[in-house]
Amino acid sequence: MTWISIALGGALGSISRYGIDLALARFESFPFGTLSANALGSLIIGVAAGFWELDQRKTPTVLFIITGFCGGFTTFSTFSLQTLELIQRNDLPRAGLNITASFTLCLLCTWLGWIMGQSLKK
């Protein structure tokens, strides 16, 4: 059951990520789709981590969300490729913005999500 939960979560996360990419495709000059997916995924994983204690994170439901959905939804490899492409186009300001915004926004979203998860637990 655990493997199926992770696989289904990953499939749903991947499809959702593709949907965000399609929705934001008109902004070709900056990878808003990846940034949005990573920020939202960071918020979701923060809520899950704040809500469930470490020993509870091995259940099929939590693995569906954290390992499956968030794993399929967020992507460091796409972020890296898009940043490299900006650098190769000599668009260093946008590359720097992508690095800074991704790191800052995702860390902030994870923290806010964790706080939300903690408050839901009470």
Side-chain angles (χ1 to χ4, degrees):
M1 185 64 180
T2 298
W3 291 90
I4 293 170
S5 294
I6 293 169
L8 291 175
L12 183 61
S14 297
I15 291 167
S16 299
R17 180 175 171 348
Y18 182 66
I20 285 180
D21 274 346
L22 289 177
L24 298 175
R26 65 181 178 270
F27 302 108
E28 293 179 2
S29 63
F30 190 80
F32 285 109
T34 301
L35 179 60
S36 299
N38 286 341
L40 183 56
S42 294
L43 182 65
I44 292 167
I45 205 168
V47 169
F51 187 77
W52 285 290
E53 300 297 328
L54 277 175
D55 61 330
Q56 298 172 318
R57 294 185 197 160
K58 302 291 184 210
T59 65
T61 301
V62 181
L63 289 169
F64 171 87
I65 295 168
I66 291 179
T67 305
F69 182 82
C70 289
F73 188 62
T74 63
T75 175
F76 191 77
S77 57
T78 301
F79 155 79
S80 299
L81 176 61
Q82 290 169 335
T83 303
L84 178 63
E85 289 170 346
L86 289 168
I87 291 168
Q88 289 172 335
R89 290 195 316 246
N90 262 349
D91 197 346
L92 298 181
R94 280 200 175 110
L97 175 63
N98 193 36
I99 292 165
T100 303
S102 293
F103 176 78
T104 305
L105 187 59
C106 292
L107 186 58
L108 179 64
C109 284
T110 302
W111 176 67
L112 289 173
W114 186 85
I115 290 171
M116 290 167 63
Q118 287 284 293
S119 69
L120 288 171
K121 218 172 27 173
K122 295 177 181 176

